[in-house]
Amino acid sequence: MKIRKNIPLIDQHDKFGFWGEKFGGSFIPETLKKPVEDLTNLFQKLRKDKNFIKERDYYFKNWVGAPTPFIKLENLTKHLGGAQIWAKVVSEANGGAHKIYNATVHCLIAKKAGKKYVVGDTGAGYAGKMLSMAAKKFGLKCKIFMGAKDIKRQKPNCDAMKKNGAEIVPVYTGSQTLIDAVSECMRYWVSNCDTTHMCVGSTVGPNIFVKICGWSTSQISRELAIQIKKEFGTIPKKLKLFNCVGGGSSSFGFWNEFMHYNKKQVEFIGVEAGGPKNSKRHAAPLTENSKIGVLHGAMQYVVQDNEGQIEETESISAGLDYSGVSPLHCFLKDTKRARYTSATDEEALSAYELVSSLESISPSLEPSHAFAEAIKIAPQYNKNTIFCVNSCGDSYKDKDIIKSRLGKYIR
Ligand SMILES: *Cc1c(COP(=O)(O)O)cnc(C)c1O
């Protein structure tokens, strides 16, 4: 299993849709074969179409607000006394997180396909919020599937979806969280695919959805590569890119443009949710002992029990609370191109507290996992090593959880 340097990673799958022969694929019911094939053909055509790229870039710039800032965290760097620490503040994008890139591209594709409806899943509510924003922008009717438990704990994002005119469909099956929302959404699409386009909220799902999402979020690293070259004159000899990993869309997007560098020069560090200290229900299929299985139409590492039943996970950050992970990351793990680790709820909270008290940014609990690892290892390096952390969400959405855990909220 090897990564090829001259082809985009999203295209390095075999004719059955598998990366490294075992991750991904397209496990779909017979009725979806045709719609998935149509979507695949349309996407392959559009991504080579100069006018479509122009349109995408126009909306990324003039609606999403790209490029997002790349800033040096001088106080944090000084405090830790090791590597230089920088952040890419993706939370400054319209809507407040990277999911806007995927949602924008999906709505543009839906328009080209002549569809009037879009449907999507959401966990923490960001994917739903962004899809509803993009749907409103491009004149599409939007339906969002969301677990009943998540509806209760992510009220601000639900309000945003309603404001944008989206219908929220509560899902009462299973654990009533993201995993069930994705299943329900896919089921709905099976019976409505003639009129409706489906957006999967991360680099997960059947092959084509992994590709569209990875292609969309790669905008982040395209910007970052330009910003880094401008700042340092070149890509530094030692660069480390830290990102939290839930489904894996922000991390893939943050790394893609640097894929062809040697890992000694540009290291990718993915941080999964380790859950509460001493808990066993980690949302960390790449770092804890998980097994390969099929989830939501693709083979991947999945948190499951000895009988192969998918296990529920637990994390303080709703955005990382998922039993599976993108096949792209399974491939990056097995080829050793990326290194994966996890941070506990407590470590993420301390990282949030340190960054928010020293700096002008205040990462949400998802990127706080990435900051936790950066903070942990920064003292082992000197200023010639450049750390860059993707601050892909803002803490404001987590303020109630943070207040209840730390007794205060800093932003
Ligand atoms: C959804 C979300 C994540 C996790 O999803 P990925 O696909 O791994 O990026 C992380 N951070 C934020 C802010 C999110 O909204």
Short mmCIF file of all heavy atoms in Angstrom, two decimals, residues 97-99 126 202-203 244-251 319-320 364 366-367 392-393 397, ligand 1:
data_model
loop_
_atom_site.label_atom_id
_atom_site.label_comp_id
_atom_site.label_asym_id
_atom_site.label_seq_id
_atom_site.Cartn_x
_atom_site.Cartn_y
_atom_site.Cartn_z
N ALA A 97 -17.27 27.59 10.28
CA ALA A 97 -16.49 26.34 10.23
C ALA A 97 -16.27 25.92 8.78
O ALA A 97 -16.91 26.44 7.86
CB ALA A 97 -17.17 25.21 11.01
N HIS A 98 -15.38 24.96 8.60
CA HIS A 98 -15.01 24.48 7.26
C HIS A 98 -16.15 23.82 6.48
O HIS A 98 -16.04 23.63 5.29
CB HIS A 98 -13.87 23.47 7.40
CG HIS A 98 -14.25 22.28 8.26
ND1 HIS A 98 -14.27 22.36 9.63
CD2 HIS A 98 -14.68 21.05 7.95
CE1 HIS A 98 -14.68 21.20 10.13
NE2 HIS A 98 -14.93 20.39 9.13
N LYS A 99 -17.22 23.43 7.16
CA LYS A 99 -18.28 22.69 6.47
C LYS A 99 -18.96 23.51 5.39
O LYS A 99 -19.64 22.98 4.52
CB LYS A 99 -19.28 22.16 7.47
CG LYS A 99 -18.67 21.06 8.32
CD LYS A 99 -19.72 20.22 8.99
CE LYS A 99 -19.07 19.07 9.73
NZ LYS A 99 -18.42 19.54 10.99
N TYR A 126 -23.42 21.92 12.60
CA TYR A 126 -22.71 22.77 11.65
C TYR A 126 -22.98 22.36 10.20
O TYR A 126 -23.23 23.21 9.36
CB TYR A 126 -21.20 22.73 11.90
CG TYR A 126 -20.71 23.86 12.77
CD1 TYR A 126 -19.70 23.66 13.70
CD2 TYR A 126 -21.25 25.13 12.65
CE1 TYR A 126 -19.25 24.70 14.50
CE2 TYR A 126 -20.81 26.18 13.44
CZ TYR A 126 -19.79 25.95 14.37
OH TYR A 126 -19.34 26.98 15.15
N SER A 202 -19.34 14.99 5.75
CA SER A 202 -17.90 14.87 5.95
C SER A 202 -17.33 13.96 4.87
O SER A 202 -18.06 13.53 3.97
CB SER A 202 -17.60 14.31 7.35
OG SER A 202 -16.21 14.25 7.58
N THR A 203 -16.03 13.65 4.97
CA THR A 203 -15.39 12.78 3.97
C THR A 203 -15.71 11.32 4.25
O THR A 203 -14.81 10.48 4.36
CB THR A 203 -13.86 12.98 3.99
OG1 THR A 203 -13.45 13.22 5.36
CG2 THR A 203 -13.40 14.09 3.10
N CYS A 244 -7.92 18.22 14.32
CA CYS A 244 -8.78 17.23 14.95
C CYS A 244 -9.41 16.36 13.85
O CYS A 244 -9.52 16.79 12.71
CB CYS A 244 -9.88 17.91 15.76
SG CYS A 244 -10.95 18.99 14.79
N VAL A 245 -9.77 15.14 14.21
CA VAL A 245 -10.37 14.23 13.23
C VAL A 245 -11.68 13.65 13.78
O VAL A 245 -11.67 12.93 14.79
CB VAL A 245 -9.40 13.07 12.88
CG1 VAL A 245 -10.04 12.14 11.85
CG2 VAL A 245 -8.08 13.60 12.36
N GLY A 246 -12.77 13.99 13.12
CA GLY A 246 -14.06 13.37 13.42
C GLY A 246 -14.35 12.44 12.25
O GLY A 246 -13.90 11.30 12.20
N GLY A 247 -15.06 12.96 11.26
CA GLY A 247 -15.20 12.22 10.00
C GLY A 247 -13.95 12.40 9.16
O GLY A 247 -13.60 11.54 8.35
N GLY A 248 -13.28 13.53 9.34
CA GLY A 248 -11.99 13.74 8.68
C GLY A 248 -11.97 14.78 7.56
O GLY A 248 -11.00 14.86 6.82
N SER A 249 -13.02 15.61 7.44
CA SER A 249 -13.04 16.54 6.31
C SER A 249 -12.15 17.76 6.51
O SER A 249 -11.49 18.21 5.57
CB SER A 249 -14.47 16.98 6.00
OG SER A 249 -15.03 17.71 7.08
N SER A 250 -12.10 18.29 7.73
CA SER A 250 -11.25 19.47 7.93
C SER A 250 -9.78 19.06 7.84
O SER A 250 -8.97 19.74 7.21
CB SER A 250 -11.54 20.15 9.26
OG SER A 250 -11.48 19.24 10.32
N SER A 251 -9.42 17.93 8.44
CA SER A 251 -8.02 17.49 8.43
C SER A 251 -7.57 17.14 7.02
O SER A 251 -6.49 17.56 6.57
CB SER A 251 -7.83 16.28 9.36
OG SER A 251 -8.90 15.38 9.22
N GLY A 319 -19.00 17.31 17.53
CA GLY A 319 -18.47 17.21 16.17
C GLY A 319 -17.52 16.04 15.96
O GLY A 319 -17.26 15.63 14.83
N LEU A 320 -16.97 15.50 17.03
CA LEU A 320 -16.02 14.38 16.90
C LEU A 320 -16.63 13.05 17.34
O LEU A 320 -15.99 12.01 17.28
CB LEU A 320 -14.76 14.64 17.74
CG LEU A 320 -13.98 15.93 17.45
CD1 LEU A 320 -12.74 16.01 18.33
CD2 LEU A 320 -13.59 16.03 15.99
N SER A 364 -13.20 26.09 19.37
CA SER A 364 -14.27 25.23 19.90
C SER A 364 -13.63 23.94 20.41
O SER A 364 -12.43 23.71 20.25
CB SER A 364 -15.31 24.93 18.81
OG SER A 364 -14.76 24.08 17.82
N GLU A 366 -13.71 20.93 19.34
CA GLU A 366 -13.11 20.04 18.33
C GLU A 366 -11.65 20.43 18.09
O GLU A 366 -10.74 19.63 18.38
CB GLU A 366 -13.94 20.04 17.04
CG GLU A 366 -15.32 19.40 17.17
CD GLU A 366 -16.39 20.39 17.62
OE1 GLU A 366 -16.07 21.59 17.71
OE2 GLU A 366 -17.54 19.98 17.88
N PRO A 367 -11.36 21.63 17.58
CA PRO A 367 -9.95 21.99 17.39
C PRO A 367 -9.15 22.05 18.69
O PRO A 367 -7.92 21.97 18.65
CB PRO A 367 -10.01 23.37 16.71
CG PRO A 367 -11.38 23.87 16.90
CD PRO A 367 -12.25 22.68 17.02
N CYS A 392 -10.67 25.14 13.42
CA CYS A 392 -11.77 25.02 12.46
C CYS A 392 -13.14 25.37 13.03
O CYS A 392 -14.13 25.36 12.30
CB CYS A 392 -11.78 23.62 11.84
SG CYS A 392 -11.88 22.30 13.05
N GLY A 393 -13.21 25.70 14.33
CA GLY A 393 -14.51 26.10 14.90
C GLY A 393 -14.28 27.06 16.06
O GLY A 393 -13.20 27.06 16.67
N LYS A 397 -20.20 28.22 20.29
CA LYS A 397 -21.26 27.20 20.26
C LYS A 397 -21.17 26.26 21.47
O LYS A 397 -22.13 25.59 21.82
CB LYS A 397 -21.19 26.39 18.96
CG LYS A 397 -20.06 25.37 18.94
CD LYS A 397 -20.14 24.44 17.74
CE LYS A 397 -18.96 23.49 17.69
NZ LYS A 397 -18.95 22.43 18.68
C1 LIG B 1 -17.95 18.76 12.02
C2 LIG B 1 -16.83 19.37 12.72
C3 LIG B 1 -15.65 18.64 12.98
C4 LIG B 1 -15.49 17.19 12.68
O1 LIG B 1 -15.68 16.81 11.37
P1 LIG B 1 -14.48 16.58 10.35
O2 LIG B 1 -15.14 16.04 9.16
O3 LIG B 1 -13.51 15.63 10.99
O4 LIG B 1 -13.85 17.90 10.10
C5 LIG B 1 -14.62 19.29 13.60
N1 LIG B 1 -14.69 20.59 13.95
C6 LIG B 1 -15.79 21.32 13.71
C7 LIG B 1 -15.80 22.75 14.13
C8 LIG B 1 -16.90 20.74 13.08
O5 LIG B 1 -17.99 21.48 12.85
#
